[in-house]
């Protein structure tokens, strides 16, 4: 009887541990660089990512990459601003406007709909964007190329 | 050279088809001005309402790019920029057409877009011709600009040659884009070099130099040969932005006879209080020993000014600005003015 009690206790503890680990994994937030399923892309350096999302040309195998801004979710945009371009929204948007006006450098197109962003990523090879893990799950035909940022909820 | 340039531009425009990407912008602003302490017999209005609009278009055709800007207020309208560019590589471009003279940091950063400026007014030395500017602000010709990555930073360079402004009794005039009968007597040349510690943010420190032959229609002043050189800095500490320029100008009027010179500069600080509010302070001064026949043609030029301003960003594309300044003009008239401006960019 005592052995059974110990076994039940051990199973309960194991269950709690698995649940805790599961909760930890579920609470882990990640921002991914994403691209259409059919395209292959080697990870980009921090400088290449900044250049790309500030509207400057970044090539891969002679083909220019085309960045898209994901504004479906306020959190993913804020994380992108802090970790990829390192600017406040005000400074980033003013910089894009200023470059367009000064030198005709086209700013990356902005998408507020996840469905339209997914379609755009799949339509043209070399088109890249960023998305949080839960957004990526909704983007059928889109894959992650690299992790741009991650944070555990614990 | 002029007609060859025009012909090449025309052929290239015919050869371009639908742009890969294109964007248009409309800048607009309405400024209310109220002046106090004016001389009783002044020619300056006490109160004014100044509307101003700028249309901008740029199209990217792959290796070819077009860029146009048209500016209008109640006194004047003109083509500010009409440029056709080729991307030599990802860092360098060759431009043909009408462009802004690179011998000014302020003008080539904000062009005619009032919304982008932290303040309502430009520094007097950076004013455009229509606003009583004393230096030629437009060139029609050829420009080469680009960047060279060096260590973690970049060197940015611009070289421009073409035709510049004319001078008449109302000040400098921007000639039409398509205008024949030009020669060395209205040619302009400019060179600018700057260092950017991080090519992707706004910090920049640099020098420029230029030479302008200004065709004059002012009695007793047939031509001005103008040489200038300057220094500029723009540094952003996130909550504090410092912008400053210092420029030395040497004018030789009626070649072979009189010459004069002056130095002008400004220091501006923008303190960003919150993402919506910012506070601006600017001090301007011009040092001249009064022997410059060219400068004396510009009575409205503010040779000394102190300015305090505040900017409130109403939305992501609209701003409200208020400023107070005290100025002394070239004709020694002193006054203070209050300005209130609503400005926007669309979309």
């Amino acid at each position: 009887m005592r052995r059974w009690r110990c076994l039940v206790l051990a199973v309960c503890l194991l269950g709690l541990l698995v649940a805790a680990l599961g909760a930890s994994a579920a609470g882990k937030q990640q921002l991914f660089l994403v691209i259409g399923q059919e395209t292959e892309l080697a990870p980009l350096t921090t400088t290449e990512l900044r250049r790309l999302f500030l509207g400057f040309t970044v090539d891969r195998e002679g083909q220019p990459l085309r960045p898209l801004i994901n504004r479906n979710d306020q959190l993913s945009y804020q994380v992108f601003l802090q970790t990829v371009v390192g600017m406040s929204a005000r400074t980033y948007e003013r910089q894009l406007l200023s470059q367009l006006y000064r030198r005709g450098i086209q700013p990356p197109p902005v998408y507020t709909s996840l469905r339209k962003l997914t379609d755009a990523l799949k339509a043209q090879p070399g088109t890249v964007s960023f998305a949080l893990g839960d957004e990526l799950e909704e983007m059928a035909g889109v894959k992650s190329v690299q992790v741009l940022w991650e944070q555990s909820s614990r | 050279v002029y007609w060859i340039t025009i012909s090449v531009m025309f052929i290239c425009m015919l050869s371009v088809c639908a742009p890969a990407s294109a964007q248009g912008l409309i800048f607009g602003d309405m400024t209310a001005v109220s002046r106090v302490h004016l001389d009783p017999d002044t020619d300056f209005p006490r109160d004014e309402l100044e509307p101003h609009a700028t249309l901008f278009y740029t199209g990217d055709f792959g290796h070819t790019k077009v860029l146009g800007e048209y500016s209008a207020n109640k006194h004047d309208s003109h083509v500010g920029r009409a440029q056709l560019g080729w991307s030599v590589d990802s860092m360098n471009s060759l431009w043909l057409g009408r462009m802004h003279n690179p011998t000014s940091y302020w003008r080539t950063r904000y062009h005619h877009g009032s919304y982008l400026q932290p303040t309502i007014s430009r520094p007097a030395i950076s004013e455009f011709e229509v606003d009583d500017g004393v230096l030629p602000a437009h060139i029609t010709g050829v420009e080469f600009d680009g960047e060279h990555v060096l260590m973690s930073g970049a060197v940015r360079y611009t070289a421009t040659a073409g035709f510049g402004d004319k001078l008449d009794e109302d000040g400098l005039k921007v000639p039409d884009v398509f205008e024949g009968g030009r020669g060395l007597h209205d040619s302009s040349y400019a060179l600018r070099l700057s260092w950017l510690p991080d090519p992707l943010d706004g910090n920049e420190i640099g020098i420029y130099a230029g030479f302008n032959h200004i065709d004059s229609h002012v009695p007793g002043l047939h031509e001005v040969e103008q040489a200038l050189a300057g220094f500029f800095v723009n540094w952003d500490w996130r909550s504090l932005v410092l912008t400053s320029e210092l420029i030395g100008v040497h004018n030789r009027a009626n070649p072979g006879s009189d010459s004069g010179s002056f130095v002008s500069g400004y220091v501006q600080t923008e303190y960003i209080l919150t993402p919506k509010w910012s506070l601006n302070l600017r001090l301007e001064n011009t040092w001249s020993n009064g022997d410059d026949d060219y400068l004396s043609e510009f009575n409205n030029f503010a040779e000394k000014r102190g300015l305090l301003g505040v900017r409130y960003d109403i939305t992501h594309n609209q701003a409200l600005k208020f400023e107070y300044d005290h100025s002394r003009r070239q004709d020694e008239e002193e006054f203070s003015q209050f300005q209130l401006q609503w400005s926007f960019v669309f979309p």
Side-chain angles (χ1 to χ4, degrees), chain B residues 31-106:
Chain B
T31 309
V33 188
S34 181
R35 299 186 178 92
V36 290
H37 307 131
L38 282 166
D39 284 352
D41 53 348
T42 185
D43 56 347
F44 244 31
R46 198 161 295 277
D47 300 302
E48 269 186 293
L49 195 61
E50 289 271 357
H52 176 234
T54 298
L55 305 177
F56 173 80
Y57 171 83
T58 180
D60 193 334
F61 302 83
H63 284 287
T64 313
K65 195 182 278 188
V66 293
L67 193 151
E69 183 184 24
Y70 185 80
S71 181
N73 63 16
K74 66 183 182 185
H75 307 293
D76 167 86
S77 63
H78 71 275
V79 177
R81 289 182 286 168
Q83 298 175 232
L84 176 70
W86 285 275
S87 296
V88 178
D89 54 41
S90 63
M91 306 292 267
N92 296 285
S93 299
L94 184 68
W95 297 92
L96 282 176
R98 159 73 57 80
M99 60 238 5
H100 285 148
N101 194 317
T103 54
S104 165
Y105 176 77
W106 188 285

Side-chain angles (χ1 to χ4, degrees), chain B residues 207-284:
Chain B
I207 52 171
Y208 48 70
F211 190 81
N212 303 310
H213 286 271
I214 302 170
D215 187 11
S216 170
H217 298 273
V218 174
L221 195 67
H222 301 303
E223 185 181 0
V224 178
E225 288 184 354
Q226 182 177 75
L228 56 93
F231 159 86
F232 67 91
V233 61
N234 182 74
W235 219 260
D236 184 343
W237 288 277
R238 286 185 183 259
S239 59
L240 183 72
V241 184
L242 170 76
T243 308
S244 183
E245 281 185 83
L246 187 69
I247 183 164
V249 183
H250 180 78
N251 297 304
R252 196 157 65 116
N254 289 326
S257 56
D258 298 339
S259 65
S261 53
F262 65 93
V263 174
S264 187
Y266 67 89
V267 178
Q268 171 156 314
T269 55
E270 181 187 10
Y271 184 58
I272 297 156
L273 299 162
T274 72
K276 283 184 178 290
W277 289 93
S278 61
L279 199 62
N280 296 285
L281 175 72
R282 189 169 73 228
L283 297 171
E284 302 174 36

